[in-house]
Amino acid sequence: MAASATPLPTLTTKELTSDQEVRWCPGCGDYSILAQMRKALTTVGVPREKLAFVSGIGCSSRFPYYMNTYGFHTIHGRAPTFATGLRLANPDLQVWVVTGDGDGLSIGGNHLIHALRRNVDIKVLLFNNEIYGLTKGQYSPASRVGTSSKTSPGGSFETPVRPLSLALAAEATFVARTIDVDVQHMVATFQKAAAHKGSAFVEIYQNCKIFNDGVFEYATDKSVKAENVLYLEHGKPMLFGKDRSKGIRMSGLKPEVVTVGKDCGLDDILTHDEAAEDPTLAYLLSRFAHDETPNVANPFPEPVGVYRSVRKPTYEEQLEARITEAAAKKGKGKIEDLFKAEDVWTVAE
């Protein structure tokens, strides 16, 4: 008789809620993200003592206070680095990084890139509201051209960072986007990130009610959302629009928006493959941006969902293999031997 599987530990959202008063502005998208994260973690089968949240600085970075798990509120932009050390020293932990577009893409940009390229088994949530909220409304690395803020009264003229393009270029093995008001999609995306072995990067469109209200209205307003958002589904054609008659087709090396039945047949529409080893198509999708130019012909929708999910050796797996290999050749070393090695000398008094 086959042994029955060990049941996964279960949690409730109440058990994941700390006793700290939540201090975000009324109407902030962070509330929804917090609630959906608690829901997602009730299903992933990880006990509370095996969960840790690490944050940097910013509105989003208050997140660990509100989770009844281990948590670390660290310094500006360094959350991925703290998380890397935490994960390596405690391989049984599931480690989540919470950061914002200012914290993660400006001062922390370099730390983020290298955590992703190493494929450290951590989950990064980037709250993107395209503004610095905690410091009262300066434009951020993700602010789009023309953003008027306290530090760009004439409108930002800098080219913004596209977080998903950055993550894909850094070879992240799991890359996804979701939206703060799309609660079911957000829960499902967090669950997929939790199940991924390796670095997972999730961009969340998060509304800042005070300093950048409505910046993602094109993707949240029900009257226009279907025309502006493409939901990626693995193995299915890339269709969007109210009647799902529009799709993405390749014309040579360039993608284009076409109408099924008018410009082409369904077989001509690209099929989404999140498991594709080559990230080129995922990168092309990450370049789709909402265009507010009036009367633009065939505008691209912005894709949400999982862009890429591939399995590669994690940093931890490779490091452990290297340690095992060295120990097999030279035996287990002692820290005392390291300190007394030939390259150590005594400074004369």
Side-chain angles (χ1 to χ4, degrees):
M1 181 178 178
S4 59
T6 302
L8 294 173
T10 58
L11 291 169
T12 65
T13 55
K14 186 177 180 180
E15 289 174 313
L16 289 163
T17 303
S18 77
D19 60 358
Q20 298 297 301
E21 178 187 358
V22 181
R23 296 183 178 180
W24 284 316
C25 303
C28 176
D30 289 1
Y31 287 97
S32 176
I33 301 172
L34 176 64
Q36 307 329 312
M37 172 53 70
R38 288 172 181 158
K39 286 182 184 176
L41 290 181
T42 63
T43 65
V44 300
V46 179
R48 271 193 312 135
E49 64 270 22
K50 298 295 184 184
L51 290 166
F53 284 80
V54 183
S55 66
I57 297 296
C59 295
S60 64
S61 294
R62 298 190 61 80
F63 202 93
Y65 290 107
Y66 309 137
M67 294 295 296
N68 192 18
T69 64
Y70 288 114
F72 301 85
H73 192 175
T74 68
I75 55 179
H76 215 336
R78 270 58 172 179
T81 308
F82 274 84
T84 297
L86 181 63
R87 171 68 188 162
L88 292 180
N90 302 273
D92 292 337
L93 285 181
Q94 184 176 95
V95 179
W96 294 79
V97 171
V98 179
T99 185
D101 49 304
D103 182 62
L105 301 177
S106 182
I107 193 170
N110 204 35
H111 296 265
L112 177 65
I113 289 170
H114 293 289
L116 296 179
R117 76 169 176 84
R118 290 172 177 142
N119 200 28
V120 183
D121 192 2
I122 59 176
K123 327 300 176 189
V124 181
L125 304 180
L126 185 117
F127 294 20
N128 186 4
N129 54 21
E130 298 188 2
I131 205 78
Y132 282 97
L134 187 67
T135 48
K136 304 189 185 304
Q138 298 83 22
Y139 75 100
S140 85
S143 296
R144 61 196 69 181
V145 174
T147 297
S148 179
S149 71
K150 293 182 178 179
T151 49
S152 58
S156 171
F157 52 80
E158 296 182 9
T159 300
V161 173
R162 298 188 182 188
L164 298 190
S165 298
L166 183 74
L168 288 162
E171 303 294 339
T173 52
F174 182 96
V175 177
R177 174 189 286 150
T178 188
I179 305 173
D180 60 1
V181 297
D182 202 341
V183 294
Q184 292 182 344
H185 187 269
M186 188 161 36
V187 170
T189 304
F190 291 166
Q191 290 168 335
K192 291 174 183 175
H196 180 71
K197 187 71 172 175
S199 60
F201 180 84
V202 180
E203 178 190 27
I204 308 161
Y205 281 172
Q206 175 252 324
N207 192 46
C208 176
K209 186 75 174 175
I210 305 301
F211 297 108
N212 210 14
D213 191 24
V215 69
F216 300 116
E217 198 167 73
Y218 62 89
T220 58
D221 186 329
K222 292 182 179 179
S223 66
V224 296
K225 178 179 178 179
E227 301 298 324
N228 296 326
V229 174
L230 164 64
Y231 281 89
L232 298 174
E233 298 177 273
H234 180 62
K236 295 186 178 179
M238 298 182 197
L239 296 172
F240 69 102
K242 283 186 177 179
D243 55 2
R244 292 179 60 80
S245 63
K246 297 179 183 177
I248 307 299
R249 180 180 70 176
M250 292 300 292
S251 176
L253 296 177
K254 293 184 177 180
E256 63 179 359
V257 173
V258 291
T259 301
V260 178
K262 176 184 176 184
D263 304 317
C264 65
L266 185 60
D267 291 343
D268 295 315
I269 301 300
L270 278 174
T271 297
H272 181 50
D273 181 7
E274 65 185 33
E277 190 70 19
D278 188 335
T280 302
L281 185 55
Y283 186 81
L284 283 177
L285 294 173
S286 76
R287 308 302 294 171
F288 290 8
H290 178 65
D291 192 338
E292 295 185 339
T293 305
N295 303 319
V296 63
N298 299 324
F300 285 108
E302 286 195 351
V304 300
V306 178
Y307 283 59
R308 189 181 197 217
S309 180
V310 295
R311 178 73 169 99
K312 291 188 175 182
T314 66
Y315 185 86
E316 301 94 303
E317 290 170 337
Q318 296 179 86
L319 179 63
E320 183 61 31
R322 183 60 57 86
I323 293 172
T324 302
E325 180 184 351
K329 288 182 179 177
K330 299 182 179 180
K332 287 190 175 181
K334 297 180 180 178
I335 193 70
E336 294 85 353
D337 295 338
L338 178 64
F339 286 137
K340 296 176 181 176
E342 293 179 357
D343 291 338
V344 177
W345 64 92
T346 302
V347 178
E349 295 183 1

